[in-house]
Amino acid sequence: MANLFVRFLIGGLAVLAAIGYKNYRELSEPGQRPELDNNAYWGPELSKQNYKENKAILPYDISVNPEVIADLKSQLSRPLKLQAPLEGVGFEYGFNANELQKVVKYWRDTYLNKWGEREKYLKKLDHYQTEIQGLKIHFVHAKPSKEAIKKGKKVLPLLLMHGWPGTVREFYDFIPLLTAGSDKSDYVFEVIAPSLPGYGWSQGSSKTGFGVAQVAVVLRNLMVRLGFDKFVVQGGDWGSLIGSNVASLFPENVLGYHSNMCGNNSPMGRLKLMLSFAFPSWFGDEQNAHFYKGFGDFFVFIMEEMGYAHIQASKPDTIGNALIDNPIGLASYIAEKFSTWTNPAFKTLPDGGLTKRFTYDQLLDNIMIYYVTNSITTSMRLYSESMNKAQFALSVDSLPITAKTGCTRFAHELLHVPDGVLANKFPNLVHSTHQQDGGHFPAFELPQQLYEDFTAFVQKAEL
Amino acid sequence: MANLFVRFLIGGLAVLAAIGYKNYRELSEPGQRPELDNNAYWGPELSKQNYKENKAILPYDISVNPEVIADLKSQLSRPLKLQAPLEGVGFEYGFNANELQKVVKYWRDTYLNKWGEREKYLKKLDHYQTEIQGLKIHFVHAKPSKEAIKKGKKVLPLLLMHGWPGTVREFYDFIPLLTAGSDKSDYVFEVIAPSLPGYGWSQGSSKTGFGVAQVAVVLRNLMVRLGFDKFVVQGGDWGSLIGSNVASLFPENVLGYHSNMCGNNSPMGRLKLMLSFAFPSWFGDEQNAHFYKGFGDFFVFIMEEMGYAHIQASKPDTIGNALIDNPIGLASYIAEKFSTWTNPAFKTLPDGGLTKRFTYDQLLDNIMIYYVTNSITTSMRLYSESMNKAQFALSVDSLPITAKTGCTRFAHELLHVPDGVLANKFPNLVHSTHQQDGGHFPAFELPQQLYEDFTAFVQKAEL
């Protein structure tokens, strides 16, 4: 009874909120493509006057100056002054200081001693750079294997995008699967995996207003620069949102969109999401009901897990100042997400289950990319530039994606959105799956599983 | 019309939310004092077995080891790798890196060179320490002037409490006013200003569950230890909330409660606050209507200014790991609040208006106390321990404060709560004022003004 009352209450609240926002007619109308300058300049003002986009696509050397490594080692060798965790606590209060001590020790005494090997590993894939709209954009370019081509597989260009706090490092096991091809698939992929602008080796904007839609323009332009007028998009986290913006804004370029974190942020989508918390059966399939949580769990999730997004969206420079050139703080801040977002149950473990799905080497590779490029502040600005009135006013979220779409849901993803909620954003949702394992970083954690889902989508969609 | 609609909408939402939470009868009922162990032990488990509270009250030497200062100087001398702010931006994205560079230079080249003088200044007041419930608690003890006593002023003990990210340093100009007495007041004060447990020189808890109510018990016990069975309470920020808890839980000890940030977090108080956004005239006086903002401003405030509280309440150890032993990040994180909370209009200034109301020396004194005591993590844990189910279940907020109460509102305080909203929490609100200037740290910023308001309250209340 009480439960029913709460359902009606939440339903009522959602309806009221929706009415207050826009009327139903407006809500259900697809939006119009906003005016966006496809050639907007985002580099420093000083360089603007004589700026002529250098369209060359040049190999990029990701080598790190040995002085940076030596300095990092000396920073990691300072006596640690961490505050001991509260008694009996794992990761419930954030990154456990005892575990951090172990990470620092491994980083300093093991990882950095084999940095040459790690660097070699990171160079295994081919790195390039080109200039787009005033920004130097870095990307990994991996071509399909000759064997796959010989077997007559169809080659599709793929724009593959990471999110925060990720890097292209997440894709080092995933990309080889995509380029090798498999017996189960008629397709093989030519992969472009950019560092998002402001992330890793890609330059960040010097100007305000560089949000998710503007980033989408840059990365679409990158694909066109490389000669790919038609391509597939895959991503999670920001990669999913940027991909959704690319597919919304440039339907002429996108063959298909696949994401491991599909969402619908249109006004109608938000309303339906709220309603789905109260009436899950209206929107989802009964079989996978356990994937979809109620409003109470959603509220707890916002409270317990969204603090980072709140501060990054409002004060990215303050938290950036705290993390830049601060390897220990950076490792704690980033690696926390690879614990809790991989499986929330890891929060109760003293070591956050960090090595249950990743190795320290994997995690440190990713952290190193943020550290050596000093990119943490620019990476976090994407939150503030994407969550503000100017960005919302573009209403890209209200543009339906006409390209064929595939959505997969790994078990421990932060938030699952049922098909019924996705519907108005993705009228061409041809593939929708639920994985019984895995978390927020499936390309990194379960590359084979993500590969199989992705290729199943491509096959089904007949791209 | 639209405006009226929004008002009704918000009103409706608030009512629905309230009904969903508890019924009106329950809402309006005063709560019962919860069971709290007044002797709970919060120190490390290891020391517990043989623990016997050392009741001695000993002078405390706040001197900093010169090695710590030398090491700090060397840290501040590293080449700065801050990310340049976006073009044309002040403090809108958080602490501006150009201004931070200036702060670091001043800190390293000027402030630390006169550290001896600063330390002498901090020792101007008398520092003590005693053990309460397993924690070493530091406090400043300032006695009333002989002149004031000679003049026959009535002496009142005062528990004066700072908040986050403050320290006792906020009170260095305020305390001398309180102990000197003035011609306008018949009272003079014997001031006890503790470092909150886990802040500055006061030890933090080793155990979970040490929230605002538990801190209130410790600080009330401190006053009793010092022989003050009846005392006045004053505070802002956490000092206000802890003070409110002391006054709620120990009416037998509290003569009067004065705060520069009165709030009412009882269920009824929250409901009324929501309603006050839609119908301000129901709750406040017309004359000061400009102090009270609508729901839109409240929402923007939560979004733009509450990120720090969100992350500190959910992941205090992660953000603590990022700031401890990181002087530059710590300065940025703390000093941002002394910009934006002093006046939100300072956000548009390239230097955040930092020196409009404070000197670098004042701000750095406060930051130094966090730095040299490594207390940032323990200070931030107060958020997580106070904003959780166990703490809410105590329902201290539902206990009315019977002591005479004075509330003053400085113009730029984060959130103003009108008398009508405060009513059920403070049935004895005898003094309520609005200041046309000042922000969140009035003892630090406008000590004379706060002193006058405070003594006007004491006089009016005839304590």
Side-chain angles (χ1 to χ4, degrees):
Chain A
M1 174 62 200
N3 190 18
L4 195 72
F5 175 73
V6 170
R7 283 178 180 213
F8 274 107
L9 173 70
I10 293 169
L13 283 170
V15 170
L16 265 175
I19 295 172
Y21 185 48
K22 289 183 174 186
N23 65 45
Y24 181 84
R25 199 185 145 77
E26 217 175 314
L27 276 179
S28 54
E29 257 176 20
Q32 299 293 312
R33 189 188 188 283
E35 289 296 321
L36 271 177
D37 179 0
N38 282 357
N39 301 303
Y41 173 86
W42 297 106
E45 192 61 26
L46 267 177
S47 324
K48 190 178 178 182
Q49 259 190 332
N50 305 313
Y51 181 73
K52 207 175 163 286
E53 195 165 78
N54 181 350
K55 298 196 158 92
I57 296 151
L58 302 168
Y60 185 74
D61 183 2
I62 60 164
S63 300
V64 178
N65 187 327
E67 283 172 26
V68 171
I69 302 298
D71 179 67
L72 171 57
K73 194 158 186 177
S74 91
Q75 282 203 72
L76 297 179
S77 305
R78 284 175 53 81
L80 270 181
K81 287 189 192 158
L82 298 173
Q83 176 64 41
L86 292 168
E87 290 167 359
V89 158
F91 271 53
E92 297 94 337
Y93 288 71
F95 205 105
N96 185 297
N98 295 337
E99 172 62 14
L100 186 53
Q101 210 161 348
K102 283 187 204 149
V103 171
V104 170
K105 189 176 152 50
Y106 181 86
W107 197 356
R108 180 190 62 216
D109 298 340
T110 306
Y111 181 92
L112 285 185
N113 290 343
K114 59 178 179 181
W115 171 246
E117 178 195 302
R118 297 316 307 160
E119 202 174 53
K120 204 168 152 191
Y121 178 83
L122 291 172
K123 288 181 180 176
K124 221 176 59 171
L125 296 173
D126 294 327
H127 296 260
Y128 298 89
Q129 191 187 67
T130 188
E131 268 181 43
I132 311 268
Q133 299 171 248
L135 300 178
K136 288 178 177 141
I137 301 298
H138 159 268
F139 58 97
V140 161
H141 190 161
K143 300 202 168 171
S145 73
K146 283 174 191 152
E147 292 75 8
I149 291 172
K150 214 179 287 170
K151 283 183 189 158
K153 307 262 182 201
K154 184 171 176 189
V155 179
L156 288 177
L158 170 63
L159 173 60
L160 175 64
M161 288 176 293
H162 67 83
W164 186 94
T167 62
V168 293
R169 175 62 183 87
E170 288 177 67
F171 301 134
Y172 269 60
D173 294 320
F174 185 48
I175 287 176
L177 299 173
L178 293 163
T179 54
S182 81
D183 291 343
K184 289 184 205 154
S185 168
D186 299 330
Y187 296 85
V188 70
F189 301 91
E190 178 158 1
V191 183
I192 307 298
S195 293
L196 301 184
Y199 287 66
W201 298 283
S202 283
Q203 188 177 352
S205 174
S206 294
K207 304 192 180 308
T208 61
F210 190 62
V212 67
Q214 292 78 13
V215 172
V217 171
V218 168
L219 296 182
R220 174 265 184 184
N221 286 347
L222 169 67
M223 292 304 279
V224 173
R225 164 80 47 85
L226 298 175
F228 305 119
D229 283 330
K230 303 263 184 204
F231 51 89
V232 184
V233 175
Q234 206 287 330
D237 198 90
W238 280 114
S240 170
L241 291 159
I242 296 166
S244 167
N245 274 255
V246 171
S248 303
L249 294 167
F250 303 102
E252 65 276 21
N253 298 124
V254 175
L255 292 168
Y257 170 73
H258 181 272
S259 171
N260 43 288
M261 201 185 83
C262 283
N264 179 359
N265 293 317
S266 67
M268 183 56 119
R270 287 178 197 271
L271 168 64
K272 288 194 293 182
L273 184 64
M274 289 298 129
L275 285 171
S276 78
F277 292 137
F279 310 101
S281 60
W282 293 5
F283 299 93
D285 50 331
E286 297 291 319
Q287 205 186 331
N288 295 296
H290 58 290
F291 273 69
Y292 303 104
K293 291 175 181 146
F295 188 77
D297 286 314
F298 178 66
F299 182 75
V300 169
F301 161 71
I302 296 282
M303 287 294 117
E304 289 186 1
E305 300 304 332
M306 281 290 129
Y308 84 99
H310 197 165
I311 199 165
Q312 291 174 198
S314 52
K315 313 282 178 192
D317 283 27
T318 298
I319 181 74
N321 292 334
L323 297 175
I324 207 167
D325 196 30
N326 169 14
I328 298 171
L330 186 70
S332 162
Y333 200 86
I334 290 179
E336 179 214 289
K337 302 311 180 196
F338 286 86
S339 157
T340 307
W341 292 356
T342 296
N343 190 335
F346 290 175
K347 275 167 82 169
T348 58
L349 304 175
D351 66 354
L354 268 188
T355 55
K356 282 192 182 292
R357 291 308 179 102
F358 305 108
T359 64
Y360 277 175
D361 283 350
Q362 282 183 299
L363 297 173
L364 286 170
D365 283 352
N366 183 62
I367 291 162
M368 281 294 283
I369 296 176
Y370 280 88
Y371 179 76
V372 301
T373 60
N374 292 311
S375 60
I376 190 68
T377 306
T378 48
S379 77
M380 296 193 298
R381 284 181 185 158
L382 182 55
Y383 289 78
S384 57
E385 297 296 15
S386 299
M387 298 180 191
N388 62 33
K389 280 186 190 170
Q391 192 71 212
F392 295 148
L394 296 174
S395 292
V396 177
D397 291 319
S398 296
L399 290 173
I401 289 178
T402 51
K404 287 181 181 166
T405 301
C407 295
T408 186
R409 299 165 187 88
F410 283 82
H412 306 302
E413 185 54 274
L414 307 182
L415 174 68
H416 293 118
V417 182
D419 285 356
V421 173
L422 296 175
N424 67 306
K425 178 72 190 175
F426 304 102
N428 240 330
L429 182 63
V430 299
H431 173 88
S432 169
T433 56
H434 295 76
Q435 314 281 343
Q436 299 310 315
D437 192 9
H440 185 68
F441 306 97
F444 207 23
E445 183 192 357
L446 298 168
Q448 181 68 35
Q449 207 163 315
L450 180 63
Y451 170 74
E452 283 171 16
D453 192 89
F454 174 69
T455 49
F457 156 67
V458 172
Q459 201 84 23
K460 211 181 294 176
E462 299 179 358
L463 298 185
Chain B
M1 175 60 201
N3 192 19
L4 194 72
F5 175 74
V6 170
R7 284 179 181 212
F8 275 108
L9 172 69
I10 293 169
L13 283 170
V15 171
L16 266 174
I19 295 171
Y21 185 47
K22 290 186 174 183
N23 66 45
Y24 181 85
R25 198 183 146 77
E26 215 175 316
L27 275 179
S28 52
E29 256 176 22
Q32 299 293 313
R33 189 186 187 284
E35 290 295 320
L36 271 175
D37 179 0
N38 283 357
N39 301 302
Y41 173 86
W42 297 106
E45 193 61 25
L46 268 179
S47 324
K48 192 178 177 182
Q49 261 190 329
N50 305 312
Y51 181 71
K52 204 172 165 288
E53 196 165 76
N54 181 351
K55 296 195 159 91
I57 296 151
L58 301 168
Y60 185 73
D61 183 2
I62 61 165
S63 301
V64 178
N65 187 330
E67 281 172 27
V68 171
I69 302 298
D71 179 67
L72 171 56
K73 195 159 185 173
S74 92
Q75 282 204 70
L76 296 178
S77 304
R78 285 176 53 82
L80 270 180
K81 285 188 192 160
L82 298 173
Q83 176 64 39
L86 292 167
E87 289 167 2
V89 158
F91 270 53
E92 297 93 337
Y93 288 71
F95 204 104
N96 185 297
N98 295 337
E99 171 63 14
L100 186 53
Q101 211 161 346
K102 283 185 203 149
V103 170
V104 170
K105 189 175 151 49
Y106 181 86
W107 196 357
R108 180 189 62 215
D109 298 340
T110 306
Y111 181 93
L112 285 185
N113 290 343
K114 58 176 180 184
W115 171 246
E117 179 195 301
R118 296 317 305 161
E119 203 174 51
K120 205 169 149 190
Y121 177 83
L122 291 171
K123 289 180 180 177
K124 221 176 58 172
L125 296 174
D126 294 327
H127 297 259
Y128 297 89
Q129 193 187 64
T130 189
E131 270 182 43
I132 311 268
Q133 299 172 247
L135 301 178
K136 286 179 180 140
I137 301 298
H138 159 268
F139 58 98
V140 162
H141 190 161
K143 300 203 168 169
S145 73
K146 283 174 194 156
E147 292 76 9
I149 291 173
K150 216 179 290 173
K151 282 183 192 161
K153 308 261 184 202
K154 185 172 178 188
V155 179
L156 290 176
L158 170 62
L159 173 61
L160 175 64
M161 287 176 294
H162 66 83
W164 186 93
T167 60
V168 293
R169 175 62 183 88
E170 289 177 67
F171 300 135
Y172 269 61
D173 294 321
F174 185 47
I175 287 175
L177 299 172
L178 293 163
T179 53
S182 82
D183 291 343
K184 289 185 207 155
S185 168
D186 300 329
Y187 297 84
V188 70
F189 302 91
E190 177 158 0
V191 183
I192 305 299
S195 294
L196 302 183
Y199 287 65
W201 297 283
S202 284
Q203 189 178 352
S205 174
S206 293
K207 303 192 179 308
T208 60
F210 189 61
V212 67
Q214 291 78 12
V215 172
V217 171
V218 168
L219 296 183
R220 174 264 184 187
N221 286 348
L222 170 66
M223 292 304 278
V224 173
R225 164 79 48 84
L226 298 175
F228 305 120
D229 283 330
K230 303 265 183 197
F231 52 88
V232 184
V233 175
Q234 206 289 329
D237 198 272
W238 280 114
S240 171
L241 292 159
I242 296 166
S244 166
N245 275 256
V246 172
S248 303
L249 294 167
F250 303 100
E252 65 276 20
N253 298 123
V254 176
L255 292 168
Y257 169 73
H258 181 272
S259 171
N260 43 288
M261 202 185 84
C262 283
N264 179 0
N265 293 318
S266 68
M268 180 56 116
R270 288 179 196 271
L271 167 63
K272 288 194 294 181
L273 185 66
M274 289 298 128
L275 286 171
S276 77
F277 292 138
F279 310 100
S281 60
W282 295 4
F283 298 93
D285 50 331
E286 296 291 318
Q287 206 187 330
N288 295 297
H290 57 289
F291 272 69
Y292 302 103
K293 291 172 180 147
F295 188 76
D297 287 314
F298 178 66
F299 182 75
V300 168
F301 161 72
I302 296 283
M303 287 295 116
E304 290 186 1
E305 301 304 333
M306 282 290 126
Y308 84 99
H310 197 164
I311 199 166
Q312 291 174 199
S314 52
K315 313 282 179 193
D317 283 27
T318 298
I319 182 72
N321 292 334
L323 297 175
I324 208 166
D325 197 31
N326 169 14
I328 297 172
L330 186 69
S332 162
Y333 199 84
I334 290 178
E336 180 213 289
K337 301 311 179 197
F338 287 86
S339 158
T340 306
W341 292 356
T342 296
N343 190 336
F346 291 173
K347 275 167 83 169
T348 60
L349 305 176
D351 67 355
L354 268 190
T355 54
K356 281 194 183 292
R357 293 308 182 101
F358 305 108
T359 63
Y360 277 175
D361 284 349
Q362 282 183 298
L363 297 173
L364 287 169
D365 283 352
N366 183 63
I367 292 162
M368 282 294 284
I369 296 176
Y370 280 89
Y371 179 75
V372 301
T373 59
N374 292 311
S375 60
I376 190 67
T377 306
T378 47
S379 78
M380 298 192 298
R381 284 180 186 159
L382 182 54
Y383 288 79
S384 57
E385 297 296 14
S386 300
M387 300 181 190
N388 62 34
K389 279 186 192 169
Q391 192 70 212
F392 296 149
L394 296 176
S395 293
V396 179
D397 291 320
S398 295
L399 289 174
I401 289 178
T402 51
K404 287 182 181 167
T405 301
C407 294
T408 186
R409 299 166 185 88
F410 283 82
H412 307 301
E413 185 52 273
L414 306 180
L415 173 68
H416 293 119
V417 181
D419 285 355
V421 172
L422 296 176
N424 67 305
K425 178 71 189 173
F426 303 102
N428 240 331
L429 183 64
V430 298
H431 172 90
S432 168
T433 56
H434 295 76
Q435 315 281 343
Q436 299 310 314
D437 192 10
H440 185 69
F441 305 97
F444 207 23
E445 183 193 359
L446 297 168
Q448 181 68 37
Q449 207 163 314
L450 181 63
Y451 170 73
E452 283 170 17
D453 192 88
F454 174 68
T455 48
F457 156 66
V458 173
Q459 201 83 25
K460 211 180 294 175
E462 298 179 359
L463 299 182

